[in-house]
Amino acid sequence: MWFVANQDIAAGEEVCISYLEHDILCESAYRRNVMLTLDFKEDEDASAVVVDGPGIPVVDSEVQNELMAMNPFERLDSIDQLMQQAAGEAPPEGEDVEEDGMEAHGEVWFECDMQNLRILKAITLDGMGVSNKALELWEKCVEFTETRLPPNDESSVVVRVQAALCAWTIGEEDRARVHAAKALQVHDLIFGGGVLRFRRRFQKEFCLNLRKESLQDGRPA
């Protein structure tokens, strides 16, 4: 295993690592401590922990795969409903809605849940050819990674690459170059290798059947 530090480390200084996944580090201290407690009490049911909202992230890989298996229109509806629930603006599935309309349920999910839902919605809109709205979401994802996650987090490179490709698709070339340049800068800081390594790592992004308009049309990348 190897680690990238976000500050200088003096010789002989103790180095600590987090037991939490990087996308949990933006949560409140209370929620982070709950997650740490769960990690060290394997026999306890996570649902038994009382917190303001779910005790663990909801939009895990299983939920994401289930959403991606839906047709795009059904997926968008499901994502929007989940985003309302994540923000505490809708009752959980199966609960009755008050006669006077949708009431806030008050249970806010983990911030990484909302981020994962944004990413899934952006992917869906891109696939439907609604790339202008997808770009707005990709840029919200960029803002989240760069303001809520640890400095120079690798996920900021990933979402900036998608924002760049999305902007390029709709002809926003200057916008695309800004995202691409920033992605390259952070990637080089973390992994080194400059442009060549960056291109090797993200070449597959150009081959994904994500956007209706092909990016392999001879334009420079």
Side-chain angles (χ1 to χ4, degrees), residues 139-150:
E139 291 183 335
K140 285 184 179 179
C141 292
V142 168
E143 180 184 7
F144 176 85
T145 61
E146 297 187 355
T147 59
R148 304 293 295 143
L149 297 184

Side-chain angles (χ1 to χ4, degrees), residues 21-221:
E21 296 292 338
H22 70 114
D23 54 356
I24 303 296
L25 297 177
C26 65
E27 306 296 336
S28 66
Y30 176 72
R31 268 191 161 152
R32 296 199 308 272
N33 283 324
V34 168
M35 291 292 291
L36 284 173
T37 300
L38 291 175
D39 283 344
F40 290 98
K41 295 183 179 180
E42 296 178 358
D43 295 334
E44 292 192 5
D45 183 1
S47 63
V49 180
V50 179
V51 296
D52 182 18
I56 58 177
V58 176
V59 188
D60 56 16
S61 58
E62 184 177 344
V63 171
Q64 293 178 48
N65 289 336
E66 183 179 343
L67 287 167
M68 292 306 293
M70 299 177 180
N71 72 65
F73 294 102
E74 181 184 5
R75 189 190 313 148
L76 279 180
D77 286 341
S78 295
I79 290 173
D80 285 339
Q81 290 174 19
L82 290 172
M83 291 179 86
Q84 283 188 309
Q85 291 181 34
E89 298 172 353
E93 186 176 353
E95 287 196 9
D96 293 332
V97 179
E98 298 293 337
E99 291 183 2
D100 57 350
M102 184 78 73
E103 296 292 335
H105 189 266
E107 292 188 352
V108 179
W109 294 4
F110 280 63
E111 291 190 45
C112 59
D113 284 325
M114 185 65 84
Q115 175 75 345
N116 286 331
L117 290 170
R118 285 191 207 102
I119 290 172
L120 291 175
K121 186 171 182 179
I123 290 172
T124 303
L125 290 171
D126 258 334
M128 297 172 69
V130 193
S131 295
N132 56 333
K133 291 186 177 179
L135 181 56
E136 293 177 10
L137 285 170
W138 286 124
E139 291 183 335
K140 285 184 179 179
C141 292
V142 168
E143 180 184 7
F144 176 85
T145 61
E146 297 187 355
T147 59
R148 304 293 295 143
L149 297 184
N152 300 315
D153 191 271
E154 183 181 1
S155 60
S156 70
V157 180
V158 176
V159 292
R160 274 201 182 270
V161 166
Q162 290 302 330
L165 295 176
C166 187
W168 193 268
T169 298
I170 60 175
E172 294 273 0
E173 296 186 10
D174 290 340
R175 209 162 161 185
R177 292 181 189 279
V178 168
H179 285 301
K182 184 63 176 179
L184 172 60
Q185 177 186 349
V186 175
H187 183 272
D188 194 40
L189 179 65
I190 300 173
F191 302 106
V195 174
L196 290 179
R197 177 173 289 179
F198 179 76
R199 283 180 172 172
R200 282 200 304 270
R201 292 197 67 194
F202 289 96
Q203 182 63 36
K204 63 181 181 180
E205 306 295 333
F206 290 86
C207 303
L208 292 176
N209 186 22
L210 178 60
R211 297 172 178 88
K212 287 188 173 182
E213 180 181 345
S214 172
L215 289 164
Q216 300 187 61
D217 58 2
R219 290 182 295 175

